[in-house]
């Protein structure tokens, strides 16, 4: 038998370019602080088979381009920046069939140096709450062009101290969990949403989506994290027409009520141990029934392995 | 317009159960140190739509089961353990259509307390080199049963101080990189391989694959990291018949030759700065041309978002 | 020769108790989220010399006590909580000569679910900006009692995009750095301050100190990070009489202006690469000339090694 | 009253220079992979008080010097390298009164590419076990010169599956821990040792000390981690005359026997949950009774805050 080995999926790029962009046209500066990763897909077979780099644009060049575009395109919105950068790779670098650009954005808050609330002109502290994310995938040139944009946020740590139950679950011989009618529910939310089209006010939309997610988590009485996640996704779809799908991943950051009764101390949902591992991991998605094909929208630049 | 929102993909489980298993049947103990994550897929719609948990086996129960199986099945090989655990969820928990179990294994080395090289009976130091990984996905019961097993390793930091070139690459207006005919090449390798079938000597196979990967990295003269990765994948397929596909992800951990010439000091590939970010990220795969369908083999338990 | 080996410094405790305290006396809950570490010093020689644990209060007991005090004392201020806990160990556990308790506090912000700005009654997102810290060391009982309290903050990432220079420095044969009259200055500030006495409004004082630190960083024109740090310390001492010493550690998070001139693109302080390592580390302190002896105030619970 | 504020302790340097040194004089290369941090102490008051940098050697220059010395001095032993670098700063940079250099060294193992055990000439995998550390403090020039050297290791994860007890401890009203006569004992050891003098075979000494530490941990029957640590320190002092003090910090990485009895499964010290936090933290030291003054030997370069 002559078994043949062939080259399978492959891609390459430059990960985690840590770019900071200051706009200083006036005395009141603005800052954009991002982490940019690029990924190219196309006909790079020769590089794998013989080491011939003739079709390979170096990852160093991708880096230079990412920094250059931070000036020429700017970083007012990460989605627009990523669209420009990904389109450049597909349009201007011949062997590239598809380009994916992912961006993380770290938010900053102006220091209230004079106590007026106006915020200092050129000094900020890192907000440190959630990280805003975006991905753009551009495939093909000219007539065959297709584009997918997702937005997202990650590491949004959110907690409610009541309004959450968990009972009536399936039991088997390994089930020892006690049902509860009042618990702390907390997660470090990782959410992504897929847009239909690119005519979007990216920054306003982000604010609206974050509000839909957090206010739903707060106000919906929860019988299960699954129910809460689906309600959050639905709330986004109902309030933002440009979004066609929402995916949510929520590690259940367990807060165990501490047993103080052993010491004669009452503890009615007041003192908890915040545990690290293991944790429940709940993942859910809400989608419009007429959503277009997701294509490579959900395939991350790290996605091969 | 009546736009409908529907429940999309969803799954849930217990992540990062840190289980240590000691076998102490004789005075010479053995240790298995693992991190187990479980993930269930099936008809959990009611939990999302109404909060009804009747079909939901709690993640706490999944945890209890993972610890129990560490005793009843044992952890001699992580693949066999994951097979048993995933099969249990599909066979014994009615609403579960598909179960995925992922395991990381941390290696330990016996302390050479007496200097003989025999190693101490019950004391080890963490080896701390690569982490061995495995995933098992079991889908359907009885006649419709399908099973996928992958093995892998991650965080294998490997470096060669010569025998690596990079030149002849594509150039555009943002290309400033100098070609090189002798460089340091280093990566923190993340590899996964897919098996055909489950009749495998898992531990012996792992050793053979690791040897194929590292010896190919060492001995193949490299014109590009892409070429090296594909050669490594091919070497695995050629030496291990049970493997049908190999996927490799290699962050190019850049070692920049330090400019000492400014100080009148020669530096011919002797002193380097090991940079953190950004890094090239090269991903490639090798596959047999008659490999069966991968199904959900490559979809991680964290895969929805 | 008869060389004698003796027991040197030693201490022990329970590190990183992750306690969350909810106050739910009314529908408007409050949350305190802390990480508590305890450390006991005293006559524990027998434990080291012979393994006799008769004088050793288990670290597990220290943990239980930390959780119990989260209920009985509460966590309205971490300084008051730590004072109570440390005093308990010294007063009530006979072999303990000195106790140190360190607390980190993570801040949370109410979710603005209804858009009024009032904030939700029982749902928060982690603020994620700086971590507030405190240490209390209590030494001796009754008449011989001495107490030291420090407050602090860490990981406050702060950046100014102008108003910072660096030139006129000492040069030697290894100096290649170019002087600059306008640069980005950024750090992840780690600050600690020492109180004189314990009659302090801890929470109000914390807010005042944070304001003094950040507003000075913003408004003082900087010729060097050293100058800025000393000005920040001085500002705290001038505005908060209860503080007698301020210590500041500031990793200089380098933002390198990116060379876009190679591509014909102007870059006048607009696009930067935020580098990870190496980083300058500048440490300075300001102290009142009549400050009492610091004693063990600055010796962390991890301090032996 | 005129309260005066004065400049307190201060120091500065360049942290975490990630230097890799290849020796390629023959086809059989060697590698040294280190993380170097420098710290200068002296009369830098003007920098703090007025921003005058005239006495301040930039941290960038310290970095350049660290890389240059990796070539001119080499990195055969990290202690000899640090001695040369610290001495240079004190001798050649006028305002420097005292210099501290700390080095971490990551070990690499040759790939056994041909299966002979000889190891490949120029390819290694990171060993990933413990990190070797050293610090050198040089104070004063010429006649007033004093030098302190410490060696160390950190993150040596070591575990014994039997031969460890814990009982007979002090109990109070918060004590619920059960005594045990057979437990898993594990830690991530952080150890430092202080040398008397600098006429030492650094690398051979390191190997001897590591052997003393690990073999004592393995073979001594333990009644408490305190006892084990002191025995380990004593073993080092007894076997290595050049060392005068050993300090050990050992997080007690708790392995809790999992309760499988609930499921009718026996678990006699076989299945454990490896918990993350909280953890006991035990610190102890052994010292010769005629050890010279430690001076600044134990004060880390990060030590001010």
């Amino acid at each position: 038998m002559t078994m043949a080995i062939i080259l399978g999926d492959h891609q390459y790029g430059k990960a985690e370019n840590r770019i900071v962009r200051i706009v200083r046209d006036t005395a009141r500066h603005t800052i954009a602080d991002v982490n940019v990763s690029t990924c190219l897909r196309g006909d790079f077979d020769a590089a794998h088979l013989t080491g011939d780099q003739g079709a390979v644009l170096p990852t160093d060049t991708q880096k230079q381009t990412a920094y250059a575009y931070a000036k020429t395109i700017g970083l007012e919105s990460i989605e627009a920046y990523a669209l420009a950068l990904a389109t450049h790779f597909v349009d201007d670098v011949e062997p590239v069939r598809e380009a994916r650009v992912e961006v993380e954005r770290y938010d900053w808050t102006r220091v209230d140096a004079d106590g007026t609330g106006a915020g200092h002109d050129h000094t900020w502290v890192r907000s440190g709450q959630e990280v805003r994310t975006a991905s753009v995938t551009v495939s093909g040139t000219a007539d065959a062009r297709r584009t997918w944009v997702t937005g997202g946020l990650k590491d949004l740590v959110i907690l409610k101290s009541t309004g959450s139950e968990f009972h009536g679950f399936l039991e088997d011989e390994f089930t020892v969990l006690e049902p509860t009618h009042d618990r702390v529910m907390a997660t470090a939310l990782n959410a992504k949403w897929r847009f239909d089209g690119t005519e979007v006010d990216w920054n306003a939309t982000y604010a609206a989506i974050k509000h839909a997610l957090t206010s739903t988590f707060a106000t919906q009485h929860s019988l299960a994290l699954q129910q809460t996640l689906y309600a959050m996704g639905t709330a986004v779809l109902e309030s933002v027409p440009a979004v066609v799908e929402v995916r949510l991943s929520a590690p259940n950051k367990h807060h165990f009520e501490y047993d103080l009764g052993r010491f004669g101390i009452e503890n009615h949902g007041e003192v908890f141990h915040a545990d690290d591992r293991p944790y429940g991991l709940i993942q859910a998605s809400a989608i419009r029934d007429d959503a277009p094909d997701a294509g490579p929208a959900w395939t991350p630049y790290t996605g091969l392995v």
Side-chain angles (χ1 to χ4, degrees), chain A residues 49-72:
Chain A
L49 301 178
T50 68
D52 178 349
Q53 301 295 303
V56 172
L57 189 74
T59 66
D60 185 81
T61 301
Q62 299 176 43
K63 173 178 76 171
Q64 308 298 344
T65 313
Y67 281 89
Y69 272 57
K71 177 69 198 299
T72 57

Side-chain angles (χ1 to χ4, degrees), chain A residues 109-265:
Chain A
T109 303
R110 289 182 191 274
V111 168
D112 185 23
D114 59 9
T116 65
H120 195 265
D121 272 355
H122 59 254
T123 308
W124 302 262
V125 291
R126 178 86 75 85
S127 302
Q129 216 167 78
E130 84 279 3
V131 173
R132 178 174 166 185
T133 65
S135 81
V136 168
T137 313
V138 174
S139 182
T141 49
D143 297 350
R145 166 72 42 84
R146 288 205 64 190
T147 300
W148 293 268
V149 181
T150 72
L153 57 78
K154 65 176 190 179
D155 301 335
L156 180 75
V157 182
I158 188 165
L159 177 149
K160 60 192 301 179
S161 54
T162 190
S164 169
E165 313 186 26
F166 190 62
H167 51 81
F169 41 75
L170 186 64
E171 300 191 24
D172 69 4
E173 74 268 32
F174 294 111
T175 302
V176 293
L177 185 72
E178 295 289 331
T180 175
H181 290 266
D182 190 7
R183 62 170 181 173
V184 164
M185 187 165 77
T187 189
L189 187 68
N190 185 3
K192 290 183 182 164
W193 43 88
R194 177 158 61 98
F195 292 100
D196 184 16
T198 60
E199 296 301 310
V200 178
D201 181 341
W202 305 111
N203 294 342
T205 300
Y206 180 81
I209 292 172
K210 183 181 168 187
H211 178 74
L213 292 171
T214 55
S215 64
T216 304
F217 183 92
T219 58
Q220 199 223 27
H221 186 85
S222 175
L223 298 177
L225 188 43
Q226 281 94 333
Q227 183 194 25
T228 301
L229 292 182
Y230 184 63
M232 292 163 73
T234 300
V236 171
L237 292 177
E238 288 175 344
S239 60
V240 184
V243 171
V244 297
E245 184 181 3
V246 180
R247 294 187 170 203
L248 300 156
S249 177
N252 195 340
K253 297 174 76 78
H254 302 302
H255 286 67
F256 295 115
E257 196 165 311
Y258 210 79
D259 179 6
L260 299 179
R262 298 175 290 181
F263 314 123
I265 300 172

